[in-house]
Amino acid sequence: MPAYVISEVTVLDEAAADSYRALAQDSIARYGGRYVVRAGALEVVEGDWPAKQRVIVVEFPTMERAREWYASDEYAEALAVRDGALRRRLLFVEGVA
């Protein structure tokens, strides 16, 4: 069953965020993940949404693979860059069969 990693992101430093994205993208691919939504244009239909906030959705083949990716040495490199680059909320959600 697929699993999704969903991030709400506010970029703090665009250059550092570019470095984070490159490292994260490589690590995601190594664990079978693929971007479904990558900070595309937003259309707010209900409620409030901060203008600078972005949404990223990554699909992994299973929840186990998503967890392995997050705990991996490869992603640890991206996390080392992340703190100065962006602020986010992150969650894992199990998909449907």
Side-chain angles (χ1 to χ4, degrees):
M1 184 172 331
Y4 297 89
V5 177
I6 302 172
S7 302
E8 290 181 9
V9 175
T10 301
V11 174
L12 304 173
D13 177 326
E14 201 62 55
D18 287 343
S19 296
Y20 166 79
R21 280 189 284 268
L23 291 167
Q25 180 176 328
D26 288 346
S27 69
I28 286 166
R30 289 182 185 182
Y31 287 83
R34 70 177 186 92
Y35 285 94
V36 178
V37 174
R38 193 167 188 187
L42 293 171
E43 180 178 339
V44 179
V45 180
E46 293 185 21
D48 297 321
W49 193 266
K52 292 187 174 191
Q53 196 162 27
R54 301 173 185 175
V55 176
I56 294 91
V57 179
V58 177
E59 180 183 59
F60 284 91
T62 63
M63 185 67 81
E64 181 179 342
R65 287 304 276 173
R67 289 183 183 126
E68 288 172 357
W69 160 75
Y70 189 78
S72 72
D73 290 339
E74 296 90 354
Y75 188 57
E77 290 181 53
L79 288 175
V81 175
R82 183 207 59 201
D83 288 338
L86 51 93
R87 185 177 63 243
R88 75 169 177 193
R89 294 192 312 169
L90 182 79
L91 56 109
F92 291 8
V93 179
E94 197 168 78
V96 296

